[in-house]
Amino acid sequence: MNPEAVIFDLDGVITDTAHLHFHAWRQVASEIGIEIDEAFNNTLKGISRGESLRRILHFGGREADFSQAQRDELATRKNSIYVESLNQLTAQSILPGIHDLLLELKQRGIPTGLASVSLNAPTILNMLGITDLFTFCADAGKIARSKPDPEIFLAACHGLGVSAQQCIGIEDAQAGIDAINACGMRSIGIGADLQHAGLRLLSTDQLTWPCLSAFWQRAK
Ligand code: B16
Ligand code: MG
């Protein structure tokens, strides 16, 4: 038996945009006197734009200093810088092994889903030239809670018409692994430091169909 679907996170699994988020947030944060480093940025993986800003303001001790309208302006400014930087993405920016895996899943008739909380996800898939390799992309604009809440993964399952218990979810962030586990999917984590992943791999080039299939047989 095969999984009913394989559901992917975007940032850190399909392509690495974490450094682009970091550069944009660092610029906006620095303009209001908050310095963030890459270690702090890692804690924002899988966290929505609004919640990321709240955490940055909290980190800088400035949570009380900005109205909602000012926060919206900061988030919009960060997004403009980020979207500008997406111009550098091409098919070469797809992480190792991912294109081959998406093609193989398509050939095997196994549906693929995207569960990214990024409102820019459709643009990014388009820049990478892989929109057609996804059966369904959950709409981040329609979810109320970012990871570790399972909402975006459940939305992907719903759109694909599959049951979460019959799917594999792939993530690079702890919040994402927690979201996958919370909805009863089988989790694969990319990264040495992840906790509670059903299978932990060090790099996306280990994400082959034989690897996923063996994991699924063991998990069932
Ligand atoms: P945007 P994922 C997440 O993507 C990123 O990991 C996170 O850093 C970012 O804040 C979030 O998307 C929202 O992105 O500002 O483009 O809407 O990991 O869920 O694919
Ligand atoms: Mg990610």
Side-chain angles (χ1 to χ4, degrees):
M1 282 286 281
N2 289 331
E4 286 184 1
V6 179
I7 300 180
F8 294 79
D9 169 48
L10 175 62
D11 177 22
V13 173
I14 304 289
T15 188
D16 184 12
T17 47
H19 63 289
L20 303 179
H21 282 293
F22 172 55
H23 287 303
W25 276 131
R26 185 174 58 177
Q27 186 168 334
V28 169
S30 143
E31 286 165 9
I32 54 170
I34 301 173
E35 299 306 325
I36 59 169
D37 61 14
E38 239 168 320
F40 177 79
N41 186 65
N42 282 342
T43 68
L44 303 179
K45 285 184 178 176
I47 306 301
S48 69
R49 196 181 310 163
E51 175 61 15
S52 295
L53 176 61
R54 195 196 64 72
R55 291 185 186 198
I56 290 167
L57 295 177
H58 179 76
F59 177 74
R62 301 209 55 194
E63 234 181 328
D65 298 350
F66 294 88
S67 67
Q68 189 54 51
Q70 289 170 317
R71 287 173 191 232
D72 291 347
E73 260 176 49
L74 290 170
T76 301
R77 171 148 170 68
K78 180 266 175 179
N79 193 51
S80 310
I81 299 167
Y82 176 65
V83 169
E84 177 76 27
S85 72
L86 293 177
N87 286 332
Q88 59 193 265
L89 293 184
T90 67
Q92 310 305 317
S93 316
I94 301 171
L95 285 169
I98 294 296
H99 196 260
D100 286 350
L101 176 62
L102 288 168
L103 276 178
E104 178 142 15
L105 292 170
K106 187 169 188 153
Q107 279 156 8
R108 290 178 178 275
I110 299 172
T112 48
L114 189 79
S116 169
V117 298
S118 173
L119 295 165
N120 295 298
T123 308
I124 294 171
L125 289 188
N126 201 28
M127 308 276 305
L128 300 174
I130 52 173
T131 304
D132 293 350
L133 293 176
F134 284 89
T135 315
F136 180 78
C137 297
D139 183 349
K142 289 191 179 149
I143 61 149
R145 297 171 297 278
S146 69
K147 303 162 187 175
D149 191 284
E151 190 177 2
I152 191 80
F153 282 97
L154 290 171
C157 291
H158 185 72
L160 289 164
V162 296
S163 112
Q165 289 77 10
Q166 298 303 319
C167 295
I168 292 175
I170 305 175
E171 261 287 352
D172 71 312
Q174 189 60 52
I177 291 293
D178 295 342
I180 293 171
N181 291 342
C183 61
M185 296 169 67
R186 306 286 166 168
S187 56
I188 297 182
I190 311 294
D193 300 331
L194 295 173
Q195 306 287 314
H196 312 302
L199 175 67
R200 193 172 50 188
L201 302 175
L202 295 181
S203 155
T204 54
D205 59 10
Q206 296 173 287
L207 275 175
T208 61
W209 169 247
C211 169
L212 264 65
S213 177
F215 168 60
W216 186 253
Q217 305 313 325
R218 277 199 310 277
K220 288 285 101 188

